[in-house]
Amino acid sequence: MRILHHYYGSDCSRWKDYLLFAGIPLAFALLIGSADFKLGNDIINALITTASIFAGLLLNLLVLIYTIIIRIQDNPNKSNSAIRKKVLEQTFSNISFCILVSILLVVFCLLEMLGNEYICMVIPYGIFFLVPLMILTILMVLKRVHSLVASEF
């Protein structure tokens, strides 16, 4: 729950952010789910593979960001170290949230593969919600990491 609090409860949260990161995935889920799109085993397997790979890569990035935060705390000589530390902490929260979404996506896909009649009525909506949410969050992490690296040069 702390990950969700840091992700949705940051200082920079505005209604546009909520619309982008909750409204668009919800609209996508309702649109695709109501179109009676069936998730085949090939799609489920591809989603499980993709989410697992991204979770692993994001865990490595999380360790890297943590190392940079520790290094900034040990050497606060730069004039913009407070701003960089705040951006790094927000990026850390974004990466943690994206890992959580990846794990949830894998769990939802595995539940979909079970084929229970009642579960299969609801789970596709969750999958259709989590996929664009994960993509948007990865894009946000990419933007933040790019701005952090670009500020070094």
Side-chain angles (χ1 to χ4, degrees), residues 7-8 12-30 129 132-133 136-137 140:
Y7 183 74
Y8 284 112
C12 298
S13 295
R14 296 180 301 276
W15 67 272
K16 291 179 184 178
D17 294 336
Y18 288 117
L19 179 66
L20 179 66
F21 290 100
I24 289 177
L26 183 62
F28 181 80
L30 293 175
F129 178 80
L133 181 62
L136 289 171
T137 307
M140 183 171 53

Side-chain angles (χ1 to χ4, degrees), residues 82-139:
I83 295 171
R84 286 186 64 222
K85 184 180 176 205
K86 184 175 181 177
V87 172
L88 283 166
E89 288 172 351
Q90 290 173 352
T91 306
F92 189 87
S93 295
N94 295 142
I95 295 168
S96 299
F97 180 75
C98 197
I99 292 169
L100 177 67
V101 170
S102 297
I103 292 169
L104 284 174
L105 183 59
V106 169
V107 169
F108 277 39
C109 287
L110 291 174
L111 288 174
E112 176 70 19
M113 288 179 76
L114 290 177
N116 187 327
E117 179 182 339
Y118 299 110
I119 292 175
C120 287
M121 292 171 50
V122 178
I123 291 296
Y125 288 96
I127 292 171
F128 296 140
F129 178 80
L130 291 172
V131 168
L133 181 62
M134 187 173 92
I135 292 169
L136 289 171
T137 307
I138 287 172
L139 290 174

Side-chain angles (χ1 to χ4, degrees), residues 57-75 84-85 87-96 99 145 148:
L57 291 173
L58 290 168
L59 280 169
N60 287 330
L61 185 59
L62 199 65
V63 171
L64 179 66
I65 296 293
Y66 179 73
T67 305
I68 293 170
I69 290 172
I70 296 299
R71 192 180 69 196
I72 287 175
Q73 287 177 346
D74 291 343
N75 187 13
R84 286 186 64 222
K85 184 180 176 205
V87 172
L88 283 166
E89 288 172 351
Q90 290 173 352
T91 306
F92 189 87
S93 295
N94 295 142
I95 295 168
S96 299
I99 292 169
V145 169
L148 285 167

